[in-house]
Amino acid sequence: MKENKVQFIAVTAMAVALTYVFTAFVNVRLPIAANGGLIHLGNVPLFIMAILFGKKTGAIAGGVGMGLFDLLSGWTAWAPFTFIIVGIMGYVVGAITEKHDQYGWKVAAIFAAFVIKIVGYYIAEIILYGNFVAPITSVPGNVVQIAVAAVIVLIVIEPIEIAVKKIGITQFA
Amino acid sequence: MSILKIKDLVHKYVTYGDTEEDKQEIAAIDHIDINVEKGEFVAILGKNGSGKSSLAKHINGLLMPTEGAVYIKGMDTKDESTLLNVRQSAGIVFQNPDNQIVGTTVEEDTAFGPENLGVEPKDIWTRITAALTGVGMMAYKEASPNHLSGGQKQRVAIAGIMAMEPECIVLDEPTAMLDPEGRRHVLSLVKALNKEKNITILMVTHHMEEVILADRIIVMDQGKIVMDGKPKEIFSRVDEMKALGLEVPYATELAWELKKEGVNLSDTITTKEELVEELCQFV
Amino acid sequence: MSIRLEHVSYAYEDNSSKKNYALKDVNLEIKKEEFIAVIGHTGSGKSTLIQHLNGLIRPTSGKIYFDDEDIYADGYPLRELRGKVGICFQYPEHQLFETTILDDVCFGPMNFGKTKEEAKEIAIKCLKDVGLPEKLYEKSPFELSGGQKRRVAIAGILAMEPEYFILDEPTAGLDPVGKDQILNLLKKLHEEKKITIILVSHSMEDVADYAQRVIVMNHGQVMYEGDKKEVFSHKKELEAAGLAVPFYRQVCEELADRGFPIQRDLLTLEETKGAIIQGLKELRGK
Amino acid sequence: MLKDITIGQYYKEDSLIHRLDPRVKLFAVLIYVITLFMHKSPATYVMSLLFLVLTIKISKVPVKYILRGLKAIAVILLFSVMINMLFIPGKPVIQFWIISISAEGIRTTIYLGSRLIMLVLGTSLLTFTTTPNELTDGLDKSLGFLNKIGVPVHEIAMMMSIALRFIPILTEELEKIMKAQTARGIDFESGGLLKRVKSMVPIIVPLFVAAIRRANDLAMAMESRCYHGGVGRTKLKPLKYEKRDKMAYIFLFVFLAVMIYLSFFSPWR
Ligand SMILES: Nc1ncnc2c1ncn2[C@@H]1O[C@H](COP(=O)(O)OP(=O)(O)OP(=O)(O)O)[C@@H](O)[C@H]1O
Ligand SMILES: Nc1ncnc2c1ncn2[C@@H]1O[C@H](COP(=O)(O)OP(=O)(O)OP(=O)(O)O)[C@@H](O)[C@H]1O
Ligand SMILES: [Mg+2]
Ligand SMILES: [Mg+2]
């Protein structure tokens, strides 16, 4: 339906904005490390919006939202990779959760995204750094990032789904 | 000339409970007929949930009638082919100024409507200059909306509608989120658009003081029109208004209280000046 | 027993690193069991001021004392203070998040160390106080109407059992009936539970109806502070500061100007009505 | 204040580079990155470096600003350098204990290291000289061809510009919600990881619900202002190539040709 197209644009735009905001400004300080324990939560909106609104919104929220952050914040060279990798992450989470409603599938979807992120960035950084070993350094960071995001998403998703249903906004047909 | 004609309009929302079967139909608008002439200033009152916003959305073709029809300048809002025309002729301004500004600068936002209408860039410039001058925001044309006050943002939202050169503007509680100063500015702007540009205004509001100067007041309750008339006439029915969960202007209320005590005042007092004038006749 | 501000100034940090004072040398004392209204033009610093009262923002300079203890002294339990001084921000319903109304109201007390059972008991009491029908307690807060949500949010703060209850424009966006219900609730809390109320409002008429003492903010400074009758006698100055005097006082002034026998400093409908009738009697007597 | 947050790192200046059409700049970045990856010889490096220095000079963005971008990658750069030096086999030039560094190692390290540095500096110059809005416009126009393979480029560009408008609003809203929940006694700063993660719930739920509500309102406002997709839509400020843009294109093609020559055909390749 035509109406839904504008709503899709608006909701997805908001998803992009949320992903940007969480990537840029929302951090959790890990209680373990004193120095590098700060991780951003940019994956949280990406997962939530993908679960709520499906693969297209997920793909754009991730790819454009985080890509935009890279593009605008000095990680310009990473932006095209982020666009593709995180875009695929959002797409996959959306695609899996669109088909299956159960909680277990959400966990599986996020796990799939986790694998895509690790592998994707590893490959991207091989291209950027020109060797196979240096990209390994970013693996632990990525692991923790997704793990924390996963925990948060899996806790908040239920109340948000209920709220969204109650205020009467659902997936676009 | 009639600009807006609503014929036996019904709107039903379908809501779902926790299960699919738990389906409910709410008649938010329940057989309404309205006819508005060009250049009128109509205020729409009613308590929360009485169907005011739903009505406003029908005028703009954002909602489609469940039954009945809405005509703008003779165009049926159900007709896909004239929908853009309907929306161009009757613009709508919403409550929260933040959620209706699309552009990242004031001029870009004002241009949004004309851009969608396919207006040539150089004509867009003349339109936004006219619209922004009209609302007194020309000095801010390159500013980011985030740096404006609520009242200023709402004026930008109105400019965005003005740039589409509409003949009718529907305002759904345009002052609800503003402070008194912003409210005053927006109100005087709306009045000026009505008087000077002869734009038909339909304004939804909860503030009785804002509608004293309207040409006509429509009061809604549970999806129906329960009163329709001149402000003086509507506000003279204080008991009825109170029963509907509404108020009357301060002056009317005071006059009404005084009359209950046997003071001889006329029924049509709405402003401080009128009240003082009548009371001073006893001096 | 009071909250006291001494020479409090506050500057928001600006991109340009220029100091932008939202509060300038504010000295105030808010005593227990008062009903105070804070008024002022937009951007006068009302919201900034109230956030100082429970240590949400720290003054750039100056001191804040709660019951004569400096709240920024080392080791002062700020979090406990936040339980004693509850703030209800503008549009508080935007902060609801739990799946049921009851759980949402329990959130505050549980943060302050109450067990689930204790919290529930308090929550039910508070929901009763704000007049929410019992059949709604297990519903999602997102299902409610605007006015109902506002009441749940207010109950959420009340449930922390604060001694001071600060509300930043609690009636914004409500219809007349909803507005009166909230204000009457505050009045009841003040009279029956002896809770100190600090109300930020843009409506002079509401302030005149409900508050005892009025604080007028103007460009980050306290312009007037005192009994409402006294404060509203500064008509010209208030108007210059972007405010007004209550409608009924305006009527009285104009009547008095035109020779009607009436006092000038009446503020509410009831007072004015009585005085006009009195005045008319006098006139008839002559 | 939070609603004043600057998005990205645009450096306001009036330079030739700033005034170039964003499409030209996007194209320039593309060419520059491609040529960086063609590097084989010192000559190509010198050319790339020249190109970089020249554009930085013209852009009038202070060098210290641009170098700041390197801080973020310093660790990875150092690590990468070390790995390359240590593990690339060849004739050892430096040797002590179990560590041996080969000439090839040094050479590759210098090449890869400088390539990464130039990559970061050159690409970030784009965001120093182009506002987010211009970038959105530029991407919209230059990626238009992707429409053919089903990527809704116009819609994505529209989403980007709406996102840019709402980022400050959502940031402010986030701050408000955090304050309000702090007033209700929430504690973000102490406790274990799970507790900290849990403390995000009262922030995230209201923020998302509000954002989705806003999206709904916004969709209605857009529709009521006759938005109906990219078809038949005009632009207030349509992108238009000026003479300087054409000159820049010519310059870029010349640069590309020189680089191809240096990499593949010249005697110093
Ligand atoms: N999208 C919707 N889905 C289901 N019901 C709705 C929807 N929008 C409105 N309603 C219901 O329709 C009725 C009329 O709502 P409407 O928003 O038109 O009232 P209103 O007069 O504008 O109220 P307010 O003063 O609160 O703005 C209400 O009972 C409301 O609950
Ligand atoms: N987060 C912030 N960052 C920077 N400046 C701010 C911030 N919040 C408020 N200000 C500024 O501080 C001043 C006082 O603002 P404050 O919000 O306290 O006013 P207010 O009296 O509550 O206004 P209103 O009636 O509009 O709510 C204003 O000039 C405002 O622009
Ligand atoms: Mg409404
Ligand atoms: Mg305020």
Side-chain angles (χ1 to χ4, degrees):
Chain A
M1 233 164 73
K2 215 169 101 244
E3 257 73 34
N4 282 341
K5 187 174 129 192
V6 181
Q7 205 170 46
F8 166 72
I9 291 179
V11 167
T12 309
M14 220 55 79
V16 170
L18 283 169
T19 305
Y20 186 102
V21 169
F22 274 64
T23 309
F25 307 112
V26 186
N27 302 301
V28 173
R29 190 176 292 284
L30 298 178
I32 29 163
N35 47 350
L38 207 63
I39 54 163
H40 76 70
L41 295 183
N43 295 298
V44 169
L46 142 68
F47 292 153
I48 292 178
M49 296 307 263
I51 294 172
L52 290 178
F53 297 104
K55 53 182 182 268
K56 270 169 107 183
T57 300
I60 298 172
V64 179
M66 240 183 256
L68 193 66
F69 175 78
D70 279 358
L71 182 65
L72 296 180
S73 320
W75 299 87
T76 319
W78 278 256
F81 299 106
T82 299
F83 178 74
I84 293 168
I85 298 166
V86 186
I88 295 175
M89 286 166 64
Y91 187 90
V92 167
V93 171
I96 295 176
T97 52
E98 256 175 39
K99 285 226 178 62
H100 309 280
D101 254 351
Q102 300 93 322
Y103 196 75
W105 281 101
K106 287 174 189 147
V107 181
I110 293 176
F111 185 75
F114 172 81
V115 174
I116 297 168
K117 175 137 195 169
I118 304 296
V119 175
Y121 273 99
Y122 184 71
I123 295 173
E125 292 184 347
I126 288 175
I127 299 174
L128 286 170
Y129 304 149
N131 74 50
F132 294 89
V133 188
I136 292 177
T137 48
S138 49
V139 170
N142 285 341
V143 171
V144 180
Q145 216 183 65
I146 303 267
V148 171
V151 177
I152 293 180
V153 172
L154 293 171
I155 297 178
V156 300
I157 192 68
E158 206 180 343
I160 294 183
E161 276 185 325
I162 291 173
V164 169
K165 203 169 134 203
K166 294 293 178 207
I167 56 180
I169 303 153
T170 38
Q171 288 194 353
F172 327 101
Chain B
M1 196 185 89
S2 151
I3 185 160
L4 164 69
K5 198 173 196 97
I6 297 178
K7 266 195 176 155
D8 200 28
L9 177 68
V10 175
H11 188 89
K12 289 189 176 135
Y13 287 105
V14 182
T15 56
Y16 298 94
D18 293 326
T19 61
E20 281 296 308
E21 296 87 66
D22 194 5
K23 198 170 105 173
Q24 261 188 322
E25 272 196 349
I26 304 171
I29 297 181
D30 195 3
H31 299 284
I32 278 187
D33 288 278
I34 299 177
N35 190 18
V36 176
E37 299 294 319
K38 182 151 177 57
E40 267 192 289
F41 189 136
V42 184
I44 301 173
L45 306 179
K47 62 169 185 263
N48 291 134
S50 55
K52 306 179 297 294
S53 299
S54 306
L55 178 66
K57 285 172 196 162
H58 272 283
I59 297 171
N60 195 249
L62 288 171
L63 287 179
M64 289 297 145
T66 312
E67 284 171 39
V70 178
Y71 300 95
I72 304 290
K73 291 201 301 181
M75 294 176 286
D76 190 337
T77 57
K78 280 196 294 271
D79 185 351
E80 279 279 327
S81 64
T82 51
L83 190 57
L84 284 189
N85 247 324
V86 165
R87 290 189 174 151
Q88 182 266 316
S89 309
I92 183 164
V93 175
F94 297 94
Q95 193 178 91
N96 187 342
D98 262 331
N99 295 354
Q100 48 190 326
I101 295 179
V102 185
T104 35
T105 64
V106 168
E107 61 184 11
E108 264 173 43
D109 184 70
T110 316
F112 184 72
E115 284 177 345
N116 292 330
L117 294 169
V119 176
E120 286 307 311
K122 91 174 176 311
D123 298 331
I124 301 183
W125 281 109
T126 39
R127 283 187 184 210
I128 58 178
T129 309
L132 287 175
T133 314
V135 303
M137 291 295 292
M138 196 58 189
Y140 297 88
K141 76 177 167 37
E142 279 166 24
S144 151
N146 296 322
H147 294 235
L148 304 179
S149 72
Q152 288 174 324
K153 278 190 256 195
Q154 199 59 292
R155 282 190 276 162
V156 170
I158 294 175
I161 300 296
M162 289 300 297
M164 301 201 299
E165 302 183 341
E167 289 168 51
C168 171
I169 301 184
V170 183
L171 302 110
D172 190 358
E173 300 189 42
T175 60
M177 305 191 77
L178 308 184
D179 56 77
E181 194 177 74
R183 179 172 295 161
R184 263 199 307 278
H185 278 141
V186 168
L187 280 179
S188 59
L189 169 62
V190 171
K191 275 176 205 148
L193 292 179
N194 178 245
K195 292 274 149 349
E196 287 158 25
K197 301 226 157 62
N198 198 30
I199 291 176
T200 312
I201 302 283
L202 280 96
M203 187 171 85
V204 178
T205 182
H206 285 306
H207 294 266
M208 305 305 150
E209 309 289 326
E210 293 180 354
V211 300
I212 294 170
L213 294 180
D215 296 321
R216 173 177 166 195
I217 291 179
I218 291 176
V219 182
M220 291 185 67
D221 191 47
Q222 299 190 1
K224 293 193 170 67
I225 292 181
V226 288
M227 289 192 220
D228 184 343
K230 294 220 175 315
K232 296 239 180 254
E233 191 230 321
I234 302 280
F235 287 138
S236 66
R237 295 149 75 180
V238 182
D239 288 310
E240 273 176 77
M241 290 293 275
K242 294 208 169 206
L244 290 168
L246 298 172
E247 281 180 345
V248 292
Y250 291 119
T252 314
E253 170 121 36
L254 181 51
W256 182 70
E257 290 280 345
L258 286 171
K259 268 191 305 193
K260 276 205 300 198
E261 301 289 328
V263 181
N264 185 18
L265 293 170
S266 64
D267 278 338
T268 57
I269 292 173
T270 51
T271 65
K272 182 179 70 188
E273 287 70 26
E274 288 166 350
L275 177 68
V276 170
E277 198 56 47
E278 288 208 14
L279 283 173
C280 285
Q281 290 180 349
F282 297 106
V283 176
Chain C
M1 301 282 260
S2 68
I3 306 177
R4 201 167 75 244
L5 276 67
E6 282 182 5
H7 304 291
V8 167
S9 294
Y10 184 79
Y12 282 104
E13 271 173 50
D14 206 78
N15 273 349
S16 55
S17 73
K18 201 182 79 208
K19 290 233 163 165
N20 225 331
Y21 280 96
L23 290 181
K24 279 172 268 182
D25 194 28
V26 170
N27 294 290
L28 274 179
E29 178 157 25
I30 291 162
K31 295 212 184 66
K32 253 194 116 162
E33 298 185 13
E34 285 191 294
F35 193 134
I36 295 188
V38 181
I39 59 176
H41 62 87
T42 341
S44 57
K46 305 183 293 297
S47 301
T48 311
L49 172 70
I50 57 168
Q51 289 175 52
H52 278 87
L53 303 180
N54 74 345
L56 270 182
I57 47 186
R58 191 180 178 140
T60 312
S61 63
K63 297 256 187 225
I64 298 168
Y65 299 93
F66 184 87
D67 290 349
D68 295 320
E69 277 184 84
D70 183 348
I71 68 167
Y72 286 108
D74 275 343
Y76 187 89
L78 255 189
R79 245 167 63 76
E80 263 172 47
L81 174 70
R82 297 202 180 120
K84 289 184 204 152
V85 184
I87 291 195
C88 178
F89 285 93
Q90 232 180 58
Y91 298 102
E93 62 273 24
H94 293 175
Q95 278 97 49
L96 301 175
F97 68 98
E98 285 280 11
T99 39
T100 72
I101 289 167
L102 198 56
D103 281 349
D104 210 292
V105 180
C106 288
F107 177 69
M110 282 169 73
N111 278 332
F112 290 104
K114 294 270 192 297
T115 66
K116 182 86 202 183
E117 278 66 43
E118 291 168 331
K120 256 205 174 124
E121 206 172 297
I122 302 171
I124 289 173
K125 210 169 70 219
C126 293
L127 284 167
K128 276 217 184 81
D129 282 342
V130 299
L132 201 78
E134 198 158 339
K135 64 176 197 291
L136 294 177
Y137 293 179
E138 291 298 327
K139 293 233 167 192
S140 158
F142 299 103
E143 278 179 76
L144 303 180
S145 76
Q148 288 174 323
K149 271 189 225 169
R150 182 77 49 95
R151 278 188 261 172
V152 172
I154 290 177
I157 316 255
L158 273 183
M160 306 190 314
E161 306 185 310
E163 297 165 24
Y164 296 79
F165 191 10
I166 306 171
L167 300 102
D168 197 349
E169 293 182 50
T171 61
L174 295 184
D175 67 8
V177 176
K179 194 189 85 174
D180 286 348
Q181 282 169 341
I182 300 283
L183 290 172
N184 286 327
L185 167 68
L186 296 184
K187 191 170 165 185
K188 200 178 86 181
L189 290 171
H190 177 245
E191 282 168 1
E192 292 173 10
K193 310 220 147 146
K194 304 285 174 229
I195 298 177
T196 313
I197 306 279
I198 301 157
L199 172 72
V200 176
S201 176
H202 275 308
S203 164
M204 302 304 135
E205 287 75 20
D206 292 344
V207 169
D209 263 351
Y210 292 92
Q212 301 164 336
R213 198 152 74 93
V214 178
I215 296 170
V216 184
M217 297 296 296
N218 187 23
H219 294 293
Q221 285 171 313
V222 177
M223 185 183 183
Y224 295 112
E225 183 235 321
D227 181 73
K228 62 184 167 189
K229 280 231 153 78
E230 197 272 321
V231 166
F232 282 126
S233 64
H234 305 278
K235 181 161 185 270
K236 274 216 184 62
E237 293 83 352
L238 287 173
E239 276 168 6
L243 298 166
V245 298
F247 177 84
Y248 300 106
R249 185 175 168 121
Q250 292 178 28
V251 170
C252 295
E253 297 224 0
E254 287 191 22
L255 283 174
D257 283 346
R258 299 190 39 183
F260 192 96
I262 192 166
Q263 280 163 273
R264 288 168 175 271
D265 62 351
L266 304 177
L267 296 176
T268 65
L269 174 66
E270 286 304 315
E271 284 175 346
T272 316
K273 178 177 127 191
I276 289 177
I277 289 169
Q278 193 59 42
L280 287 172
K281 274 196 195 130
E282 266 177 52
L283 285 172
R284 230 171 278 145
K286 274 186 200 165
Chain D
M1 72 179 98
L2 265 180
K3 60 186 166 186
D4 267 343
I5 50 154
T6 40
I7 301 169
Q9 47 181 2
Y10 180 69
Y11 183 85
K12 202 164 164 22
E13 198 27 282
D14 186 26
S15 79
L16 178 63
I17 308 274
H18 283 78
R19 266 175 282 145
L20 282 180
D21 189 294
R23 286 171 291 182
V24 178
K25 286 187 262 190
L26 281 166
F27 184 70
V29 170
L30 184 71
I31 297 281
Y32 176 74
V33 171
I34 289 174
T35 56
L36 273 184
F37 282 87
M38 297 194 316
H39 281 169
K40 285 210 181 82
S41 66
T44 53
Y45 277 93
V46 173
M47 270 304 289
S48 284
L49 192 63
L50 258 165
F51 180 83
L52 181 63
V53 171
L54 189 71
T55 36
I56 291 179
K57 200 93 204 119
I58 300 175
S59 76
K60 298 189 194 162
V61 180
V63 177
K64 75 164 196 276
Y65 249 76
I66 295 175
L67 289 180
R68 228 185 264 163
L70 282 181
K71 254 206 307 217
I73 60 154
V75 175
I76 209 90
L77 191 67
L78 226 75
F79 192 75
S80 171
V81 161
M82 261 163 44
I83 300 279
N84 281 320
M85 286 228 267
L86 296 179
F87 292 106
I88 291 183
K91 202 167 85 7
V93 271
I94 304 167
Q95 205 163 17
F96 62 93
W97 192 39
I98 53 164
I99 295 171
S100 79
I101 295 172
S102 66
E104 284 80 7
I106 295 180
R107 222 173 60 116
T108 325
T109 301
I110 293 175
Y111 276 8
L112 292 180
S114 56
R115 186 177 87 188
L116 186 58
I117 292 175
M118 284 201 272
L119 181 70
V120 169
L121 296 185
T123 50
S124 67
L125 191 59
L126 175 70
T127 42
F128 279 119
T129 59
T130 321
T131 63
N133 284 319
E134 287 173 332
L135 268 180
T136 307
D137 259 10
L139 285 171
D140 183 5
K141 275 277 160 4
S142 31
L143 298 181
F145 67 91
L146 287 176
N147 258 327
K148 294 208 180 66
I149 59 163
V151 182
V153 177
H154 163 78
E155 275 78 9
I156 292 183
M158 179 53 86
M159 289 172 200
M160 276 169 75
S161 67
I162 295 174
L164 289 173
R165 149 117 180 89
F166 278 89
I167 287 166
I169 295 178
L170 292 177
T171 311
E172 208 193 344
E173 183 136 9
L174 175 74
E175 191 205 21
K176 267 193 215 150
I177 294 174
M178 284 176 80
K179 268 201 183 145
Q181 305 295 31
T182 310
R184 288 174 78 185
I186 201 171
D187 178 11
F188 303 105
E189 291 299 322
S190 65
L193 184 58
L194 192 68
K195 183 164 168 279
R196 285 179 199 214
V197 165
K198 274 207 173 134
S199 75
M200 300 301 290
V201 178
I203 311 289
I204 290 178
V205 177
L207 184 67
F208 276 68
V209 170
I212 293 168
R213 258 224 198 87
R214 277 182 195 281
N216 233 18
D217 283 8
L218 178 72
M220 234 159 359
M222 286 170 71
E223 263 191 81
S224 76
R225 287 166 77 184
C226 298
Y227 181 75
H228 56 283
V231 188
R233 203 175 130 76
T234 47
K235 290 285 276 180
L236 173 66
K237 297 174 181 166
L239 287 178
K240 213 169 82 223
Y241 284 126
E242 304 282 338
K243 186 146 168 253
R244 57 172 175 264
D245 299 311
K246 289 171 192 152
M247 299 298 287
Y249 271 126
I250 294 173
F251 175 76
L252 285 170
F253 279 115
V254 171
F255 173 69
L256 181 64
V258 170
M259 289 298 281
I260 290 175
Y261 172 75
L262 286 177
S263 298
F264 299 108
F265 306 106
S266 82
W268 319 284
R269 62 182 184 272

